[in-house]
Each structure stands twice: as C-alpha cells, then as structure tokens.
Amino acid sequence: EDTGFDSFNNLDHRFETRGRWKFLPRSALVYDAHYQLIRYTGDALGTPPAGPRNRLTDQNNGDIIRARAGYSGLLTPRLGVTALGGWAASFYDQRIQPSLNFDDFIAHAELTWFLNAQPRLQPGFASVGLSSIAVGYDRNFLNGYLGNFYQRDRGYAAVTYSFAGRFVSALSGGLSHISYPDFSLAPLPNEPRFTRPGFSENRIDAMFFGEYRPAPTVGINTTVRYDRNFSQVVPFSETDPDIGDDLSFQRWSVFLGARWFM
C-alpha cells in the first residue's frame, strides 16, 4: 500500500469452527462460527508515537463474533438448497472516535439446479464437476475504514459447466448494496473532528473461471475478475466542500494457476 494509507495496517486473527450432521444421504444440518480479533498497529491518534511505528491511526480495535446454522442438501435429484441464518455482533473500543457496533442477523441462501441428476452417493464419495445453475443471497458485515464496519447485502447468480471430464468453466456475477454507518474524522490537523452521516453505495462483480484437465488429477486454469463500485464523493471537511474522496472505482484481475488433485 501507499505510505499514505499505512495507518490502516492491522493484524486480523480468526478462530473458526464448522461442522455438519448428516441425517439423510443427501441432507445435513450445518453450522459455522468464528471469533475475529482486529488490532491496528499504529499508535492511536493524539498519542505520541514510541519508536519507529506506523502512522497515527484513528481506527478502533475490535472483536467480532459470528454464528450461523441451517440446512444444506438435495430436495430432489436435481434441486439443491442451502439456507443458513444466525447473528453477528462487533465489539469495537473507543480509542478515538465514538464506537458504533453491528448487532444484527446474518444469512446465506442458495438454490442450485443440477443439469444432470446427481449420482447415488456412496459413503465417503464427493461429487465434483457437475454442471449447475445457482442463485443466492448473502447478508453479512465486514471491518471497514470509514467508521468501524460496513454491511453488505449481495445477490448473485452462477453457472458451472463440465464437458467430457476435461473442461470445467464457471461464470458468476453479483450485485451488492453497501451500507456505511455514521463515522467521525478529523481531515486536517487544525480542523475539529466532525461526524458524517452514514451513506450507501452499489457494487457489481463478475468472475469467469476456466480449467482444462490434461489428466484426471491435474488442472490448468485461469480466473478473470471484474469489480466496479458506483459511489459518490464523500466530503471529509465541514469547512471546505472540495476536500473529499471519490470512492468509485473499477478493477480487472487476471490469475493463472494449476491444481493437483491428490
């Protein structure tokens, strides 16, 4: 990152657990949970730095707890469903700015239609490479840098197609609505801290994955991703409306890789 943003450097530790209880050959009750600790490495704004540390930061340290439970399995040989619901809460401290916390439900739901009926599952068998069409919705929140966090509601669709056991392709896309809570900042050293009302923005994303398998245990692949944020200029000063930041962006990412199935 540019040195102008190293005040956002942080350590992110996560302790995760997940499990499932299969009560039918193609159905299971599932759960996942994790505990996350976020610690910014810079000295708190207004505290004299001790030694060669990062820049002063006005971000709050915090802890996050998430837990979800639900169902995952096949309703018919062609129709699969995943439905998870739970609760999440954040516990940010108040080193600098007033601490706003997330305390709300989170959820994930997905319907998958398999173009070919899944084969009968045997104990220990994992089906891979099945062609399918899926639609889903995800509601969650993430650690943020304008305030403590932001909430994301994302709807998406995905198509996966496998041909002759040699070619595998996947195309997915989604639309996200991002909600930021109220946040406070001091844009310039001589300006007082002020609170800015929360705002929202919309983002789109798309991804293509293609893989060729020259052998049953080897895959050569490429991934292309596109992201775009439709946002606004966020003012960072109460006295000068020209001081702000345009948060809109678009980004392309391309990856090449290989996999070995052991």
Side-chain angles (χ1 to χ4, degrees), residues 88-99:
S90 66
F91 303 90
Y92 288 95
D93 62 26
Q94 301 188 39
R95 292 202 301 173
I96 300 299
Q97 56 181 314
S99 179

Side-chain angles (χ1 to χ4, degrees), residues 30 71-73 80-84 108-112:
V30 296
Y71 168 84
S72 179
V81 63
T82 298
L84 289 167
H108 176 75
E110 181 177 288
L111 285 174
T112 304

Side-chain angles (χ1 to χ4, degrees), residues 20-31 69-75 80-84 110:
R20 64 174 58 228
W21 177 63
K22 296 181 179 180
F23 59 92
L24 288 174
R26 305 187 183 196
S27 299
L29 296 179
V30 296
Y31 81 89
Y71 168 84
S72 179
L74 291 178
L75 300 181
V81 63
T82 298
L84 289 167
E110 181 177 288

Side-chain angles (χ1 to χ4, degrees), residues 172-187:
S172 64
L175 173 63
S176 300
H177 182 72
I178 307 295
S179 302
Y180 290 90
D182 296 349
F183 62 94
S184 64
L185 47 77

Side-chain angles (χ1 to χ4, degrees), residues 218-233:
V218 177
I220 302 172
N221 57 65
T222 182
T223 303
V224 181
R225 294 178 178 172
Y226 174 74
D227 304 273
R228 183 167 184 175
N229 183 28
F230 301 92
S231 188
Q232 56 183 317
V233 176

Side-chain angles (χ1 to χ4, degrees), residues 14-232:
R14 303 188 187 196
F15 305 89
E16 301 182 357
T17 179
R18 65 182 62 188
R20 64 174 58 228
W21 177 63
K22 296 181 179 180
F23 59 92
L24 288 174
R26 305 187 183 196
S27 299
L29 296 179
V30 296
Y31 81 89
D32 61 46
H34 83 248
Y35 180 67
Q36 180 179 359
L37 299 91
I38 300 170
R39 299 293 183 266
Y40 288 89
T41 57
D43 294 287
L45 188 64
T47 301
R53 298 289 300 278
N54 289 347
R55 290 183 55 183
L56 302 180
T57 180
D58 59 357
Q59 294 299 116
N60 291 320
N61 296 329
D63 300 347
I64 295 173
I65 297 176
R66 293 183 178 91
R68 305 183 303 180
Y71 168 84
S72 179
L74 291 178
L75 300 181
T76 72
R78 290 177 178 267
L79 181 63
V81 63
T82 298
L84 289 167
W87 204 265
S90 66
F91 303 90
Y92 288 95
D93 62 26
Q94 301 188 39
R95 292 202 301 173
I96 300 299
Q97 56 181 314
S99 179
L100 294 177
N101 285 295
F102 184 90
D103 185 18
D104 208 340
F105 75 93
I106 55 176
H108 176 75
E110 181 177 288
L111 285 174
T112 304
W113 177 260
F114 295 95
L115 302 184
N116 297 311
Q118 287 209 31
R120 184 178 299 277
L121 298 179
Q122 301 296 329
F125 175 79
S127 58
V128 295
L130 294 175
S131 302
S132 63
I133 301 174
V135 294
Y137 165 78
D138 186 73
R139 172 187 172 90
N140 213 324
F141 84 100
L142 297 92
N143 183 60
Y145 301 124
L146 288 177
N148 293 326
F149 65 90
Y150 64 89
Q151 177 183 315
R152 183 182 67 185
D153 293 89
R154 179 176 182 264
Y156 64 91
V159 177
T160 302
Y161 187 75
S162 178
F163 178 73
R166 293 282 188 176
F167 297 94
V168 178
S169 61
L171 179 64
S172 64
L175 173 63
S176 300
H177 182 72
I178 307 295
S179 302
Y180 290 90
D182 296 349
F183 62 94
S184 64
L185 47 77
L188 296 175
N190 296 326
E191 286 198 357
R193 177 172 297 275
F194 73 97
T195 299
R196 191 200 186 284
F199 65 98
S200 61
E201 60 190 22
N202 295 314
R203 301 181 183 181
I204 60 173
D205 61 87
M207 184 191 73
F208 170 78
F209 173 84
E211 182 173 71
Y212 170 66
R213 296 178 180 174
T217 59
V218 177
I220 302 172
N221 57 65
T222 182
T223 303
V224 181
R225 294 178 178 172
Y226 174 74
D227 304 273
R228 183 167 184 175
N229 183 28
F230 301 92
S231 188
Q232 56 183 317

